[in-house]
Amino acid sequence: MRSKILGQSDRSGEIQRGPVILVAYLIATLDLTFLFMQMGIIPYLAKSLGLDSVGFGYLQTTFGVLQLVGGPIFGRFADQFGTRPALILSCASGSAFFLLTSISTNIPLLFLSRLPAVFMHGLPGAQKVITDLTTPSQRADALGKLGLCFGIGIIIGSALGGVLSTKFGILVPAYVGLVGNLINTLIAMVWIPLQDKPKSDHQVTEHSTSQSGSVFSIGEILRLLKFPGVMEVFIVKVLSGLPIGLFLIMFSIISMDFFGLEAVESGYLMSYFGVLQMLVQGLVVGKLANHCTERTLLRLSVFVFAGVGLGMALMRTVWHYCIIAVPLVFAFSMLGTITDSILTKAVPSSDTGTMLGICASVQPLTRTVGPTIGGVLYKQFGVSSFGYLQLIVNIGLFVYLLQSKIPLSEMKS
């Protein structure tokens, strides 16, 4: 059994998967907390160094491109060398990231500090641990609980970054992030087992070549997209959430210009979003995953996203957005969880790390193209354009999924 391959053993030799999964949740929570903490201070640090809005856009794009390129590479590294080395690499890269940020006294150093982001993938690393330690029927529920980590990271990270930078100085959050990532590295070294690669128990193993070829092999990464149903589901994952991703990238500007919010009020709105994320992931996604098929949940998330688009097209005040945020968070969480679960089941278990890395590249892709596309949409057509685009794209995807023959498991997730 796979459960006897991975995890820590008790005296009887049985594998204690629960504690290892809890450690993965802890690592993900800390990683996301530090990440959101620095996101709050970087605009002010960049401004203090003389970087204008255009230059800050380039800085954000640099971070997005590095994460986009690094996601699949990190996944192949995890497949070839194991999850513990991969998590150690991620946490150590986070330490380097915050160290360079803390000594960024000029603009070139600030750009240089983004380089370690290529290997900063704590969330995909935690997903890899959970994927390897759960059965296919348990996977969606277990992956869904990572949304709790995301919500906690948003709330604590945003608040902590603001408090530390205001009371003690703008670079203090970087020092905290440095120490925190060093602690995360030690946690990964001590509590994540040095595991063998799991053998596939439900896939045709001869198609897996994760152990061969370079970690940087683009061909081996793209090979996974050729498995039945993988490309179709991945395209749905990218396109369905792209319009709302563009909106969220532009949200700091929209909150000021369209909603007329102050910085503190925007922070409260982000906290509200984080609380919703925790509630939906903790109380809703897992329960639905245990009672509905993957096909049903995929269609449901796309359908709800279409409704969110209509609501966004009609919204006029921040209170409208607060109402729309409820189905938005549900669809966003459900789509991410169920597509990750489907895609990791569709490839050999020895390739799940690479597949998770490919999935993790979706958000960096949006962050890379988002500022340009989102800026044009907002300037030329206004906030409602994001809603209409969301509505049109997801109606098209919903019709496609109703007629699609994508080979999905009909068992309950």
Side-chain angles (χ1 to χ4, degrees):
M1 294 176 61
R2 288 175 64 186
S3 61
K4 292 186 178 181
I5 296 175
L6 305 173
Q8 295 178 324
S9 301
D10 59 20
R11 292 181 181 178
S12 63
E14 290 296 321
I15 299 301
Q16 297 178 343
R17 296 181 300 167
V20 179
I21 291 176
L22 288 176
V23 170
Y25 288 143
L26 174 62
I27 290 174
T29 301
L30 292 175
D31 180 81
L32 290 163
T33 298
F34 302 137
L35 185 63
F36 280 107
M37 191 169 63
Q38 69 87 30
M39 287 174 64
I41 67 165
I42 285 298
Y44 301 98
L45 177 59
K47 185 177 181 180
S48 70
L49 295 177
L51 199 63
D52 59 16
S53 58
V54 175
F56 182 70
Y58 290 147
L59 184 70
Q60 294 295 80
T61 299
T62 300
F63 184 85
V65 169
L66 288 169
Q67 288 250 294
L68 173 64
V69 172
I73 295 173
F74 176 84
R76 273 190 58 75
F77 181 90
D79 283 333
Q80 290 197 350
F81 299 102
T83 309
R84 183 166 76 179
L87 277 173
I88 291 172
L89 173 64
S90 175
C91 297
S93 297
S95 298
F97 175 86
F98 281 102
L99 175 62
L100 290 171
T101 301
S102 69
I103 61 173
S104 294
T105 55
N106 53 57
I107 293 175
L109 270 178
L110 185 61
F111 273 87
L112 182 65
S113 71
R114 307 297 97 177
L115 287 179
V118 72
F119 293 123
M120 287 170 54
H121 296 281
L123 185 59
Q127 288 177 317
K128 171 67 173 168
V129 173
I130 293 166
T131 298
D132 286 344
L133 286 173
T134 55
T135 63
S137 61
Q138 299 170 329
R139 188 166 303 165
D141 186 20
L143 289 174
K145 287 184 172 63
L146 279 171
L148 289 169
C149 306
F150 195 86
I152 293 171
I154 290 179
I155 296 170
I156 297 180
S158 300
L160 190 59
V163 170
L164 291 176
S165 60
T166 301
K167 290 186 174 293
F168 304 105
I170 197 168
L171 291 177
V172 170
Y175 302 142
V176 174
L178 168 60
V179 175
N181 273 275
L182 289 174
I183 293 173
N184 236 5
T185 305
L186 291 175
I187 292 173
M189 292 174 66
V190 174
W191 293 103
I192 300 298
L194 185 61
Q195 60 233 20
D196 295 326
K197 291 296 295 179
K199 303 296 182 182
S200 177
D201 51 9
H202 63 286
Q203 298 287 345
V204 183
T205 57
E206 57 265 26
H207 289 296
S208 173
T209 57
S210 65
Q211 300 297 317
S212 63
S214 168
V215 169
F216 302 95
S217 173
I218 296 176
E220 285 303 308
I221 293 171
L222 296 179
R223 173 183 59 86
L224 299 186
L225 297 178
K226 298 177 182 178
F227 280 85
V230 169
M231 178 62 80
E232 292 91 335
V233 173
F234 184 72
I235 290 175
V236 171
K237 181 181 182 71
V238 173
L239 293 182
S240 183
L242 179 60
I244 193 63
L246 300 178
F247 171 81
L248 292 175
I249 285 173
M250 298 299 297
F251 186 74
S252 59
I253 295 176
I254 291 172
S255 64
M256 289 187 294
D257 295 348
F258 186 75
F259 293 136
L261 301 181
E262 300 292 336
V264 174
E265 295 169 324
S266 295
Y268 291 150
L269 198 57
M270 285 295 294
S271 296
Y272 168 71
F273 198 87
V275 171
L276 282 180
Q277 178 96 17
M278 292 174 62
L279 292 174
V280 169
Q281 294 276 183
L283 302 177
V284 180
V285 173
K287 293 185 183 299
L288 285 178
N290 288 329
H291 292 87
C292 302
T293 65
E294 293 171 338
R295 191 182 302 275
T296 299
L297 293 177
L298 184 58
R299 289 172 177 170
L300 176 63
S301 59
V302 171
F303 180 77
V304 173
F305 253 146
V308 167
L310 179 60
M312 288 177 59
L314 300 176
M315 75 176 178
R316 295 294 179 267
T317 69
V318 68
W319 297 110
H320 293 162
Y321 178 71
C322 288
I323 295 171
I324 294 167
V326 177
L328 189 160
V329 170
F330 168 80
F332 200 85
S333 301
M334 181 60 74
L335 181 75
T337 299
I338 206 65
T339 51
D340 286 352
S341 177
I342 291 169
L343 291 170
T344 53
K345 293 176 188 177
V347 300
S349 57
S350 54
D351 286 313
T352 54
T354 307
M355 191 70 254
L356 288 168
I358 294 173
C359 292
S361 68
V362 174
Q363 288 189 3
L365 174 63
T366 305
R367 286 199 298 267
T368 301
V369 303
T372 301
I373 299 176
V376 171
L377 284 174
Y378 181 57
K379 183 176 181 180
Q380 298 295 327
F381 307 104
V383 172
S384 62
S385 63
F386 295 101
Y388 287 121
L389 181 61
Q390 181 81 12
L391 175 62
I392 293 169
V393 169
N394 281 277
I395 284 179
L397 290 174
F398 183 69
V399 172
Y400 170 75
L401 288 173
L402 287 177
Q403 302 173 347
S404 172
K405 301 298 182 183
I406 297 175
L408 299 181
S409 170
E410 290 300 330
M411 68 180 178
K412 295 172 183 176
S413 300

